[in-house]
Amino acid sequence: FNPHRTVPVHLEMSFRDEPPRLQIFYASRLDQHLGGETPLTDFHGVWSTLRQKPSFWQRFEDKRIKYIRNNDDCGSLSQIDPLVQKCWQEMFKTDNRTEVLAKCAEESFECTWDDANRLTMTNLQPFVRTHPESGKKVWFNHINVLHKDSMAYDYERTAVFWGGFRGWWPLFLSLYYRGLFSLLSLMRSEADLGSATGF
């Protein structure tokens, strides 16, 4: 990410049946003193806090979240939708649809292509999972990341964190993305954007 972006708080690959149990962080630059934050979060603490509101936890604890990820063809990658991050051939390292479908089946993703060769992957995962070591309930989803407003919130957070003159650029980007997604919502449903979640 650019310095004015942070890595949004998330659990790595929470849309998979078997997400990684280990993460390794690497810094390619140590001389950057502002921006590029990677927040580390206690997701049991997040769920414990949210659980204090009975109407919230009763509604979501046993829910399954639907992940919707749209990946364009490499030959027609969206230039307007910033939620389309990779073309499907790059993501799967092949242009062979049979191989892609086999990988999708292996990962429990439902995969379909439209007439423009755009791949849509959907799957269901628990909103909350039980930690395999501690046995505690953990907020375990990407709902805050795979949402059209997350990018604008990310830039707003950076604008406030940086403050002063430096904060104007991320604030401008926040306003830009809010406007862009407002326009896109007039033309497309949220599920047709690069990524989305639902229940």
Side-chain angles (χ1 to χ4, degrees):
F1 288 131
N2 290 321
H4 51 271
R5 293 280 316 269
T6 58
V7 176
V9 172
H10 68 284
L11 284 137
E12 195 63 33
M13 298 186 185
S14 64
F15 47 81
R16 295 183 65 190
D17 288 339
E18 296 290 330
R21 294 182 73 167
L22 175 69
Q23 292 186 34
I24 298 173
F25 291 90
Y26 170 78
S28 62
R29 287 184 54 195
L30 300 176
D31 61 339
Q32 183 173 307
H33 302 289
L34 185 65
E37 294 89 2
T38 302
L40 300 179
T41 304
D42 171 6
F43 283 99
H44 166 67
V46 169
W47 183 245
S48 295
T49 300
L50 293 172
R51 217 172 176 283
Q52 292 174 13
K53 187 172 182 182
S55 62
F56 185 88
W57 74 263
Q58 290 168 351
R59 181 175 176 198
F60 292 105
E61 187 169 45
D62 297 322
K63 285 267 191 189
R64 294 174 66 76
I65 187 169
K66 181 178 185 177
Y67 292 101
I68 305 163
R69 293 178 297 144
N70 294 299
N71 296 87
D72 292 337
D73 181 273
C74 285
S76 60
L77 195 59
S78 175
Q79 300 301 312
I80 193 168
D81 183 353
L83 295 177
V84 175
Q85 296 179 357
K86 291 182 181 177
C87 58
W88 63 264
Q89 295 95 329
E90 181 183 326
M91 177 175 279
F92 287 95
K93 312 260 187 280
T94 183
D95 62 358
N96 183 312
R97 285 187 178 198
T98 303
E99 290 177 24
V100 171
L101 288 173
K103 185 66 175 171
C104 286
E106 183 182 309
E107 295 287 344
S108 303
F109 299 153
E110 182 181 318
C111 295
T112 57
W113 280 271
D114 67 10
D115 293 338
N117 206 28
R118 184 181 220 211
L119 174 66
T120 297
M121 297 181 289
T122 60
N123 70 314
L124 294 170
Q125 291 296 337
F127 192 81
V128 174
R129 293 190 192 193
T130 301
H131 192 279
E133 302 296 325
S134 70
K136 295 178 179 177
K137 298 276 186 178
V138 177
W139 166 280
F140 208 99
N141 61 73
H142 264 70
I143 198 167
N144 63 310
V145 178
L146 301 180
H147 188 276
K148 64 181 178 61
D149 292 332
S150 67
M151 194 173 289
Y153 287 135
D154 181 34
Y155 284 124
E156 288 169 2
R157 181 215 150 284
T158 301
V160 170
F161 184 68
W162 286 9
F165 182 71
R166 288 186 214 175
W168 283 103
W169 176 243
L171 181 60
F172 169 77
L173 289 172
S174 169
L175 295 170
Y176 167 78
Y177 283 112
R178 287 211 183 277
L180 175 63
F181 284 115
S182 293
L183 287 173
L184 285 174
S185 68
L186 297 173
M187 300 177 279
R188 299 179 182 174
S189 71
E190 190 170 337
D192 289 330
L193 295 173
S195 56
T197 57
F199 291 98

